[in-house]
Amino acid sequence: MDLGIKGKRGLVCAASKGLGRGCAMALAEAGVDLVINARGAEALEATAADLRKFGVKVTAVAADITTDAGRDKVLAAAGVVDILVTNAGGPPPGVWSDWTREDFIKALDANMLTPIALMKALLPGMIDRGWGRVINITSQSVKAPIAQLGLSNAARTGLTGYVAGTARQVAPFGVTINNLLPGIHATDRADALDKAVVAQKGISIEAARTEREATIPARRYGTPAEFGAACAFLCSQHSGFIVGQNILLDGGATNATL
Ligand code: NAP
């Protein structure tokens, strides 16, 4: 399927690895010129080199997207943006009774206020041009809480509320905002979560993974490539009637009718 977005300009945040990288790869394959970001320059440059193999223009900006200075640097390099994919590392796991105000502020900054600041900066240009796509990478924890990820549950639900209202205000101008909700995907983040189970239960990493896979109807972890393909479709010309949705990619793990 031709996604109809060849020559558009995309910004994919936190894109050197994992799900952000998967989104960047799928958008590059669709012919989107990209600005990509992550803190570490080495993995970011390696991803940029892989993206350029699709024949698109790629600018890599090493910066912490959760800081004002980092966002300013990324936005200055990005210039005109038609497609925005927001993403950042997720908050650490823990226990509800341990989290401090500072822990919450950090999580809200990274996973709620950063995507909001990026949308605030880039939506006006999209509205002026009459076309735009925003995808926020959130989490399945928005639909069903994950006990040890309370910081994530809280921050991402806040973002979801903001998107629900804002998506309907920008849709009249040809701009759509949707959220992608990953369940467990085979990335460094999944490894970190599995290692926490290893430490907690004293089992091997393989056993921790097998245990988690057994809870997923698809009986496996998702891949960054299939996540990226879903993202690219939502960024395509075909998705203009999909507005303010929260789309689960979780292999059926969330046991819900709707
Ligand atoms: P990942 O494999 O650990 O990759 C994270 C990427 O984000 C890396 O490129 C990392 O590069 C970059 N990054 C992290 N913090 C950043 C920051 N402050 N500024 C700029 N770049 C940053 O993680 P992932 O699995 O792709 O997860 C992506 C998001 O989805 C996270 O918020 C995660 O919590 C959420 N999620 C993931 C899963 C899953 O199973 N994988 C499930 C639910 C939700 P640097 O470290 O070099 O900055």
Side-chain angles (χ1 to χ4, degrees):
M1 183 193 287
D2 178 4
L3 296 183
I5 48 177
K6 190 172 178 352
K8 296 280 187 195
R9 287 178 55 87
L11 166 58
V12 185
C13 303
S16 66
K17 297 179 188 169
L19 304 180
R21 186 180 192 280
C23 295
M25 292 295 279
L27 288 170
E29 192 176 353
V32 176
D33 294 325
L34 290 169
V35 173
I36 58 166
N37 149 263
R39 291 164 303 179
E42 199 178 325
L44 187 65
E45 289 301 341
T47 293
D50 286 342
L51 292 169
R52 288 186 190 108
K53 291 175 191 160
F54 291 103
V56 295
K57 290 185 206 116
V58 181
T59 306
V61 185
D64 184 340
I65 199 67
T66 68
T67 65
D68 287 339
R71 281 191 298 277
D72 288 349
K73 194 173 161 188
V74 170
L75 288 169
V80 171
V81 172
D82 307 302
I83 293 170
L84 166 66
V85 180
T86 77
N87 186 27
V95 179
W96 65 270
S97 50
D98 291 343
W99 292 315
T100 62
R101 174 179 165 78
E102 284 64 40
D103 294 327
F104 276 103
I105 298 294
K106 218 170 153 188
L108 292 172
D109 260 341
N111 301 114
M112 177 183 171
L113 298 175
T114 288
I116 289 174
L118 291 164
M119 283 187 268
K120 220 174 144 193
L122 295 173
L123 284 171
M126 295 180 188
I127 289 168
D128 285 349
R129 291 186 298 280
W131 196 93
R133 297 283 184 265
V134 179
I135 306 298
N136 300 293
I137 300 179
T138 66
S139 172
Q140 67 179 356
S141 70
V142 170
K143 291 260 187 190
I146 300 171
Q148 68 277 20
L149 292 179
L151 295 170
S152 171
N153 299 340
R156 297 185 198 279
T157 306
L159 173 63
T160 305
Y162 174 86
V163 166
T166 307
R168 280 141 181 115
Q169 294 174 69
V170 302
F173 306 99
V175 179
T176 67
I177 313 177
N178 292 287
N179 302 320
L180 279 179
L181 283 54
I184 200 81
H185 282 69
T187 68
D188 289 357
R189 169 76 170 171
D191 280 349
L193 294 175
D194 286 345
K195 279 176 189 153
V197 174
V198 167
Q200 191 193 345
K201 294 190 175 174
I203 57 176
S204 69
I205 187 98
E206 292 76 21
R209 185 166 175 156
T210 304
E211 204 174 274
R212 201 191 295 275
E213 281 172 344
T215 67
I216 304 168
R219 296 288 184 267
R220 65 176 178 88
Y221 288 8
T223 69
E226 57 197 352
F227 189 89
C231 175
F233 177 77
L234 283 178
C235 294
S236 76
Q237 297 293 359
H238 311 296
S239 69
F241 210 51
I242 304 176
V243 170
Q245 297 303 299
N246 292 283
I247 298 168
L248 266 175
L249 290 95
D250 71 346
T254 304
N255 190 31
T257 304
L258 287 174

